[in-house]
Amino acid sequence: MTRQQPLRFGIIGDADIYRRRFLPAMQATGSACMEMLGSRKADVPDTRIGVETKPAQGSYDQVLNAPDIDLVYIALPNHLHEEWTIRALQAGKHVICEKPLGLDLASVQRMVAVARSEGRLLYENITYLHHPQHRMVREMVATGAIGTIRQLRANFCFTQTKMDDFRLNPALGGGSFQDQARYPLTAALYHLSGQLDRFHGTARYRDQLDVAVTGSAISSAGELFTFTIAFDQPYEAFYEIIGDHGFIRLDRAYTTPAELANSITITSGDRVEIRSVPPADHFHLMIEHVCRLITSGQDFAAEHHLIEERAATAERMRRGCLRSLS
């Protein structure tokens, strides 16, 4: 598929992340345009969408049946990802689905199998990695700035205060693990050279919901990985890569605002260096990346393999770490 006109998006679910980040990023790119918003309240006029977009509104099924939509972005509660991803793929649409793509490995494998049979792209929306700061960190490590990697520490914590949020309902695929674990895990998969295994950890539960998880693993290259995620702790979103003669720290690693310049701290002995990172909109960069994948004419085998490998590691992580402290 090679084309010059923008790819036409349909949205299933009008979640907050779509409103705050996805739609503004799409409006800023020439690679995509929004055609239709699918909502459970399709018969209610929506005044929250910017006037300049003026998308059609309809039901989820109307989005899938629309012949002029190339790609569907699914921003639904976690337990609905598999059903609507498969339905979108079978309707001939490419799909970007919010993380976690599936609640377990088997779910992801079923979705990937359909994507392969339909010849469509299935993309799990791990958006933060498109920010150039992560490539900068990787390049610093590659040049020997901290020596050989020995460990990666990663935390992502915040206080979840919206009590009606699906993330606080285990029946809807909620919980700290499903909502947050993909962040430290994908940071480790991005920077470490070995395959992660031998996960061990503990979880804190409230009303059958995991609200905090901490754990560790070791890679096949002997690299340690430790992490903490939580719904009930003060905000922190960082990772540190520790080498045999220094370490690199990146704060606001997963939630960097598009307008914010960030910084990377490199420490080696008594020497501390801070390198600036220009502002970047990782949602915008993600949309551009997905559009290039679709319009390049290449197959999607590498992306689908990556999704399955990530899900397999997440499965080992879940089985090893979701154990109650009580």
Side-chain angles (χ1 to χ4, degrees), residues 10-244:
I11 312 298
I12 291 183
D14 54 355
D16 177 66
I17 191 67
Y18 152 69
R19 300 282 176 179
R20 287 189 299 106
R21 301 301 303 273
F22 195 93
L23 182 58
M26 181 183 295
Q27 291 172 334
T29 179
S31 300
C33 62
M34 181 173 169
E35 291 292 324
M36 181 179 288
L37 169 65
S39 171
R40 290 175 299 175
K41 300 178 181 178
D43 58 336
V44 179
D46 194 333
T47 59
R48 295 176 295 170
I49 300 176
V51 174
E52 70 275 15
T53 60
K54 296 182 180 178
Q57 295 185 58
S59 67
Y60 298 167
D61 283 318
Q62 285 174 314
V63 171
L64 299 190
N65 294 329
D68 56 349
I69 289 176
D70 305 301
L71 192 154
V72 171
Y73 169 55
I74 295 175
L76 293 170
N78 297 337
H79 72 301
L80 297 175
H81 287 180
E82 180 179 352
E83 174 189 354
W84 288 98
T85 291
I86 288 176
R87 292 181 65 172
L89 292 167
Q90 291 174 336
K93 315 301 185 186
H94 302 283
V95 173
I96 300 172
C97 182
E98 271 303 323
K99 55 77 195 158
L101 178 58
L103 298 180
D104 55 33
L105 175 59
S107 174
V108 171
Q109 289 173 330
R110 288 190 291 269
M111 286 183 268
V112 171
V114 175
R116 287 175 175 146
S117 68
E118 297 291 337
R120 292 295 182 264
L121 173 66
L122 174 57
Y123 190 85
E124 183 177 25
N125 194 24
I126 309 295
T127 314
Y128 83 92
L129 279 175
H130 290 276
H131 197 294
Q133 61 194 3
H134 308 289
R135 184 177 64 251
M136 292 174 64
V137 170
R138 178 186 269 180
E139 290 169 353
M140 292 173 193
V141 172
T143 59
I146 59 171
T148 302
I149 294 178
R150 301 301 189 201
Q151 182 177 2
L152 188 145
R153 294 194 293 254
N155 283 18
F156 188 31
C157 306
F158 53 81
T159 302
Q160 177 61 267
T161 58
K162 298 179 180 178
M163 300 311 295
D164 60 343
D165 196 305
F166 76 87
R167 294 168 181 82
L168 297 179
N169 187 339
L172 304 184
S176 175
F177 183 85
Q178 295 292 2
D179 190 61
Q180 296 172 302
R182 283 294 200 276
Y183 293 97
L185 177 60
T186 52
L189 294 175
Y190 184 78
H191 289 294
L192 301 181
S193 60
Q195 183 184 63
L196 288 169
D197 206 350
R198 292 157 53 189
F199 281 93
H200 296 279
T202 52
R204 181 167 62 248
Y205 288 84
R206 184 178 68 226
D207 299 328
Q208 305 302 311
L209 182 84
D210 56 290
V211 295
V213 186
T214 187
S216 64
I218 189 166
S219 80
S220 55
E223 304 149 320
L224 292 174
F225 168 51
T226 58
F227 72 93
T228 295
I229 53 177
F231 277 169
D232 59 356
Q233 295 179 195
Y235 172 82
E236 55 179 350
F238 75 88
Y239 63 75
E240 292 180 327
I241 304 175
I242 298 92
D244 54 9

Side-chain angles (χ1 to χ4, degrees), residues 257-273:
E259 69 281 1
L260 179 70
N262 209 2
S263 61
I264 301 168
T265 303
I266 310 101
T267 303
S268 182
D270 295 332
R271 182 171 174 268
V272 177
E273 178 184 358

